Amino acid sequence: MSRVYEIDGVRPVVHPTSFVHPDAILIGDVIIGAHCYIGPAACLRGDFGTIEIGNGANVQDTCVIHSFPGKIVTVADYGHIGHGAVLHGCTIERNALVGMNAVVMDGAVIGESAIVAACSFVKADFVLPSQSLAAGSPAKVMRALTEQEVNWKTSGTEEYVALAMRSAASMKAVEPLTEKECHRPALKVAAAHQPLSGRYR
């Protein structure tokens, strides 16, 4: 059971086809659409503003999402929020990716199918055009993304939609084994999604 908390009579909403890890935290005005994956130790704190996670989106482990009073954080359909990212009062449009440990600040808009590179700092009110790459601290628009790069991002998000289903079907709390089995089962991963850095060299 996930750590889900009501505040001021406002309770999180999670679509039944989504998977929220038992160690994730949802507080207050959080709305999670269909086929989403919310990872372990992610914290979605809707105690000031609203947090809306669109269909097929993922928010990975140790991410933090929050906002100022009366503001909305949106991760639109098929948004992809990498490990350890922080979103505050921003908008992540359809099929966009925020890389690991990136920070996206208030009023920023990450355009459709755009990518924010890992460890970038996106300042308040920054607008990243659709299908563009931003990187740096502060982040700057580096270039347009190739069709291959957008396809790679979309494929990775599809893996997380599948992971939500795998997790709902088979994840359970257990005691660890004391040694490796002779015939250890393999993970049921449908496709071989690889890092972008090595895929298109």
Side-chain angles (χ1 to χ4, degrees), residues 10 21 41 108 122 132-133 164 176 185 190:
V10 181
H21 190 278
V122 178
S132 297
L133 171 68

Side-chain angles (χ1 to χ4, degrees), residues 107-173:
V109 177
I110 307 304
E112 181 171 350
S113 298
I115 293 177
V116 175
C119 297
S120 296
F121 177 80
V122 178
K123 65 184 182 180
D125 300 320
F126 180 88
V127 176
L128 178 60
S130 298
Q131 290 192 226
S132 297
L133 171 68
S137 183
K140 295 184 168 92
V141 179
M142 307 303 286
R143 59 176 175 82
L145 293 170
T146 66
E147 183 179 351
Q148 286 181 319
E149 288 168 328
V150 173
N151 290 341
W152 171 84
K153 184 273 159 201
T154 302
S155 174
T157 302
E158 289 170 352
E159 289 289 330
Y160 270 89
V161 172
L163 178 59
M165 292 186 287
R166 288 171 56 211
S167 298
S170 69
M171 186 180 290
K172 58 185 177 180

Side-chain angles (χ1 to χ4, degrees), residues 61-84:
D61 32 310
T62 74
C63 290
V64 175
I65 303 181
H66 195 238
S67 191
F68 282 111
K71 303 296 183 181
I72 300 174
V73 181
T74 301
V75 177
D77 294 354
Y78 301 101
H80 191 112
I81 312 303
H83 319 292

Side-chain angles (χ1 to χ4, degrees), residues 5-7 10-13 26-31 44 46-47:
Y5 301 92
E6 177 181 293
I7 186 170
V10 181
R11 184 179 301 189
V13 176
L26 309 180
I27 300 172
D29 199 3
V30 176
I31 301 168
L44 284 65
D47 50 9

